[in-house]
Amino acid sequence: VQLQASGGGLVQAGGSLRLSCATRGLPFDRYLLGWYRQAPGKEREFIAAVTWDNKSYYSDSVKGRFTSLRDGTRNSVYLQMNSLQAEDSGVYYCGAGESFRDGMLHWGKGTQVTVSS
C-alpha cells in the first residue's frame, strides 16, 4: 500500500491550496481516508476524513474552510484549503484506515504547508 501526498507550498494568509493524495494497492472503496497535520513541536492532529460512502468530517479548527473529497476513478483524495491562516502551517499527511475506531493503518509521506501572515 502506498499513499503520496502532494500540493503543499508557501501561501499568504487568506489564500488557498489544494492537496492531493494518490493511493496505490489499497481497496479504495472500502477505506476511510484522512488528513492530519503536524506543526513544529506539536503532535499530529486530525484535520479531515472522508468515508467510503463520501461522508466528510472535519476538525472544528478547519470546518467551513477546508473540504475533502475522494475520487474513486483516480484512487485519490483531495483537501481543498481556503482562507488559510498562519495556524494552518505544518506538515500534512494523508492516511487510510478501515474505521475511525481503528484509526489510520497506512500513512503517506507528508507535504509541507506554510502560511505567511
Side-chain angles (χ1 to χ4, degrees):
V1 175
Q2 293 181 340
L3 293 87
Q4 180 63 56
S6 61
L10 174 64
V11 63
Q12 289 188 335
S16 299
L17 279 176
R18 183 177 185 247
L19 304 184
S20 301
C21 177
T23 72
R24 177 180 290 183
L26 189 71
F28 189 83
D29 292 341
R30 300 203 303 268
Y31 267 63
L32 171 74
L33 300 170
W35 289 96
Y36 288 70
R37 173 175 73 200
Q38 187 164 19
K42 294 187 177 181
E43 293 186 354
R44 191 175 298 188
E45 63 172 335
F46 169 79
I47 296 300
V50 187
T51 64
W52 43 88
D53 56 351
N54 276 313
K55 294 179 182 176
S56 299
Y57 300 87
Y58 303 94
S59 68
D60 288 342
S61 64
V62 307
K63 197 173 295 182
R65 300 187 296 121
F66 290 12
T67 302
S68 187
L69 297 171
R70 60 194 292 159
D71 183 349
T73 65
R74 300 188 178 194
N75 289 348
S76 295
V77 61
Y78 305 96
L79 184 67
Q80 178 65 43
M81 306 185 294
N82 298 328
S83 301
L84 283 162
Q85 305 165 358
E87 308 86 82
D88 295 318
S89 295
V91 179
Y92 283 69
Y93 298 89
C94 60
E98 297 181 345
S99 68
F100 281 111
R101 180 189 64 187
D102 296 332
M104 299 294 110
L105 301 178
H106 307 286
W107 292 98
K109 292 183 179 179
T111 185
Q112 176 72 46
V113 172
T114 303
V115 184
S116 62
S117 56

